[in-house]
């Protein structure tokens, strides 16, 4: 039997069949059609609890976990976040509208993005957004002006660029200075925007934010970021007397797409970051700010799986084998965008030898429409077979497109042996209806 990498504990094999959250994937494909996004609700809840528990423990009962909802934004997920006591990040009026429809209190939300429009700012304020995470000076003044117009005082964090390169694990003093996000400490802009924020009448500066990157496996990155940010907080205190109440360390913890990637122990990591922060604050003689983390991917990624049905199988002798599926870059753009690795295998017949290497490709008119290259599959994989792509809960549905007028798949939630539709399958009529 071929070694099947069970990269997350919600994947199992029974009688040669692939189960997800304990449910038969071939049967789910049959019931809901393909392509379909499956989401394991219990896994999502478990991840939220891991973050909340670790943060509480690390920071003496204080601290926040904010779900970065751009990873996967739909009504049901915000209901789950509300039930779990998670804060959230939003990045657009569209996400805010979804949050409101879910009955999630917007006062627990942080509004990110490097370019919020005036309409976004007004909409967020009208609906009582908790915080703006202000990216730059121009935006600071736009938020101030809107808050003045509406006669409110708006809480904000300032997004600071700490100059950390998460991919080489080295502090690169100029590497991130040219980022489109935030104000860099290196250039003096971070200090400048802080002083300016403190002068604004309708702004309450709650503290600072940074986000070093995504799919990060080395917790050292968070220690470095915390180090730089706490030093900045201490510097600002000395220069202005201002004491930051909150420090938001962003998201980015990596997840397992393939067996070669490690599984991060989130709890251990956060406890380590907590200890570092408490020691560092003592050393700098500043009080420990309320710490926030903003996990996106690591909350939902391995709670997701996509099922496809195989269409044409093309074997080009001496060259390459192609297995085409009924989805592609429209529901999974991550290989096309980042060359991301994935684990794929059939929903049944898992005893067969995986004796063929193939590219699993989509149905779009684009050569780059590839889910993954060099995938081991059984030789006799054929039209009508269901195959699963693992770890598709983050940045799949939320990045889906309608290229080639392909409707987006539904999201089917799995919970305690039951399943239900959280987002229905898009219809071609949904698309045509926009045409006037
Ligand atoms: C994208 C993003 C996150 C979440 O990142 P993940 O890698 O999904 O955990 C958190 N904070 C900010 C500001 C982001 O832009």
């Amino acid at each position: 039997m071929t070694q099947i990498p069970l990269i997350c504990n919600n994947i199992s094999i029974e009688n040669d069949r692939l189960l997800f959250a304990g449910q038969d994937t071939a049967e789910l494909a049959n019931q809901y059609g393909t392509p379909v996004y499956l989401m394991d609700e219990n896994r999502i809840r478990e991840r939220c609890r891991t973050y909340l528990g670790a943060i509480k423990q690390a920071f003496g009962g204080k601290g926040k976990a904010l779900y970065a909802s751009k990873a996967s934004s739909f009504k049901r997920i915000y209901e789950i976040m509300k039930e779990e006591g998670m804060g959230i990040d939003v990045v657009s009026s569209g996400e805010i509208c979804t949050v409101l429809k879910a009955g999630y209190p917007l006062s627990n939300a942080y509004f990110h993005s490097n370019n919020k429009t005036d309409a976004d700012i007004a909409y967020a304020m009208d609906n009582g957004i908790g915080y703006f995470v202000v990216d730059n000076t121009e935006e600071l003044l736009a938020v101030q002006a809107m808050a003045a117009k509406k006669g409110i005082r708006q809480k904000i964090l300032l997004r600071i660029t700490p100059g950390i390169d998460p991919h080489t694990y080295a502090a690169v003093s100029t590497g991130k200075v040219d980022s489109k996000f935030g104000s860099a400490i290196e250039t003096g802009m971070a200090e400048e925007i802080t002083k300016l924020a403190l002068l604004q009448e309708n702004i309450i500066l709650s503290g600072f934010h940074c986000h070093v990157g995504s799919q990060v496996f080395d917790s050292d990155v968070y220690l470095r970021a915390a180090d730089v940010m706490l030093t900045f907080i201490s510097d600002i205190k000395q220069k202005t007397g201002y004491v930051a109440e909150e420090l938001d360390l962003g998201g980015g913890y990596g997840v397992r797409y393939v067996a070669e990637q490690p599984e991060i122990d989130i709890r251990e990591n956060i406890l380590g970051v907590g200890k570092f922060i408490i020691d560092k604050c003592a050393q700098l003689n500043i009080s420990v700010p309320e710490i926030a983390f903003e996990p996106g991917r690591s909350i939902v990624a391995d709670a997701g799986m996509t099922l496809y049905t195989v269409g044409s199988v093309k074997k080009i002798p001496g060259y390459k084998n192609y297995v085409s599926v009924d989805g592609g870059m429209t529901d999974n753009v991550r290989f096309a965008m980042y060359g991301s690795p994935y684990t794929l295998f059939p929903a049944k017949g898992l005893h067969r030898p995986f004796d063929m290497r193939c590219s699993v490709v989509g149905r779009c008119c684009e050569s780059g429409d590839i889910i993954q290259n060099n995938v081991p599959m059984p030789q006799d994989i054929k039209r009508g077979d269901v195959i699963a792509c693992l770890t598709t809960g983050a940045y799949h549905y939320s990045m889906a497109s309608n290229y080639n007028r392909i409707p987006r798949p539904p999201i089917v939630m799995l919970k305690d042996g039951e399943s239900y539709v959280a987002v229905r399958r898009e219809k071609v009529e949904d698309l045509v209806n926009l045409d006037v």
Side-chain angles (χ1 to χ4, degrees), residues 54-77:
I55 291 168
K56 280 231 162 64
Q57 193 182 340
F59 300 101
K62 279 195 348 182
K64 295 179 182 177
L66 316 173
Y67 167 57
S69 70
K70 70 174 195 270
S72 189
S73 175
F74 56 103
K75 220 171 83 184
R76 180 66 187 139
I77 200 103

Side-chain angles (χ1 to χ4, degrees), residues 5 7 217 255-263 341-343:
I7 56 177
F217 284 105
V255 304
R256 250 180 141 185
Y257 290 91
V258 288
E260 298 76 55
Q261 289 168 327
E263 184 167 357
Y342 283 99
T343 303

Side-chain angles (χ1 to χ4, degrees), residues 170-189:
V172 177
S173 53
T174 55
K176 295 284 284 180
V177 172
D178 59 358
S179 166
K180 83 166 181 173
F181 296 105
S183 307
I185 296 173
E186 183 86 10
T187 59
M189 283 177 71

Side-chain angles (χ1 to χ4, degrees), residues 8-318:
C8 182
N9 65 12
N10 54 6
I11 297 160
S12 57
I13 292 168
E14 227 175 82
N15 301 327
D16 261 5
R17 300 168 78 93
L18 174 68
L19 307 192
F20 189 49
Q23 301 192 39
D24 188 298
T25 54
E27 275 171 24
L28 288 164
N30 198 27
Q31 182 179 352
Y32 292 103
T34 60
V36 58
Y37 295 117
L38 303 177
M39 288 207 97
D40 173 1
E41 183 173 333
N42 287 344
R43 177 70 179 168
I44 297 169
R45 291 180 184 275
E46 178 193 313
R47 298 296 274 181
C48 293
R49 289 170 199 178
T50 298
Y51 270 101
L52 287 165
I55 291 168
K56 280 231 162 64
Q57 193 182 340
F59 300 101
K62 279 195 348 182
K64 295 179 182 177
L66 316 173
Y67 167 57
S69 70
K70 70 174 195 270
S72 189
S73 175
F74 56 103
K75 220 171 83 184
R76 180 66 187 139
I77 200 103
Y78 294 116
E79 290 168 2
I80 294 171
M81 292 305 140
K82 182 180 172 189
E83 286 166 18
E84 293 298 330
M86 294 282 287
I88 55 165
D89 281 357
V90 292
V91 294
S92 71
S93 292
E95 286 186 358
I96 290 173
C97 181
T98 314
V99 168
L100 295 170
K101 286 254 156 68
Y104 181 99
L106 203 63
S107 56
N108 292 339
Y110 289 66
F111 193 173
H112 282 269
S113 139
N114 68 310
N115 185 19
K116 303 161 189 81
T117 65
D118 288 343
D120 287 334
I121 295 170
Y123 181 66
M125 281 182 186
D126 287 343
N127 288 289
I129 189 98
Y131 300 78
F132 282 86
V133 181
V134 170
D135 187 89
N136 55 67
T137 301
E138 194 187 305
E139 184 173 288
L140 173 66
L141 298 177
V143 172
Q144 158 60 32
M146 192 69 75
K149 194 167 143 194
K150 299 199 179 285
I152 62 167
R153 293 194 74 211
Q154 179 63 52
K155 283 189 285 186
I156 69 160
L157 300 181
L158 290 173
R159 179 161 181 164
I160 304 299
T161 312
I164 307 265
D165 182 342
H167 302 298
T168 61
Y169 315 123
V172 177
S173 53
T174 55
K176 295 284 284 180
V177 172
D178 59 358
S179 166
K180 83 166 181 173
F181 296 105
S183 307
I185 296 173
E186 183 86 10
T187 59
M189 283 177 71
E191 183 177 325
E192 212 171 283
I193 195 172
T194 303
K195 288 177 175 164
L196 191 63
L198 292 169
L199 292 174
Q200 306 306 313
E201 246 174 62
N202 299 79
I203 295 283
I204 301 168
L205 180 61
S206 297
F208 301 104
H209 166 276
C210 69
H211 173 66
V212 290
S214 209
Q215 190 61 353
V216 174
F217 284 105
D218 194 331
S219 64
D220 195 46
V221 167
Y222 294 94
L223 303 187
R224 284 166 180 275
D227 193 356
V228 172
M229 294 299 288
L230 291 170
T231 304
F232 176 71
I233 287 173
S234 166
D235 279 356
I236 289 293
K237 185 184 165 195
Q238 273 161 27
K239 285 180 179 154
T240 69
Y242 169 72
V243 177
E245 284 165 23
E246 277 195 43
L247 172 59
D248 182 337
L249 290 173
Y253 278 111
V255 304
R256 250 180 141 185
Y257 290 91
V258 288
E260 298 76 55
Q261 289 168 327
E263 184 167 357
I264 296 186
D265 187 333
I266 297 292
R267 194 173 156 276
E268 277 299 305
N269 265 271
I270 287 179
L271 293 182
V273 176
K275 187 177 175 321
F276 178 87
I277 287 177
I278 288 164
D279 291 350
K280 185 77 188 176
C281 287
Q283 196 188 320
L284 291 167
N285 196 24
I286 55 173
S287 51
V288 180
E290 177 155 33
I291 302 294
F293 287 88
E294 301 175 313
R297 187 189 312 276
S298 54
I299 296 287
V300 287
D302 57 24
M305 176 186 280
T306 307
L307 302 179
Y308 298 110
T309 301
V310 172
S312 54
V313 176
K314 186 177 290 182
K315 299 182 181 173
I316 311 173

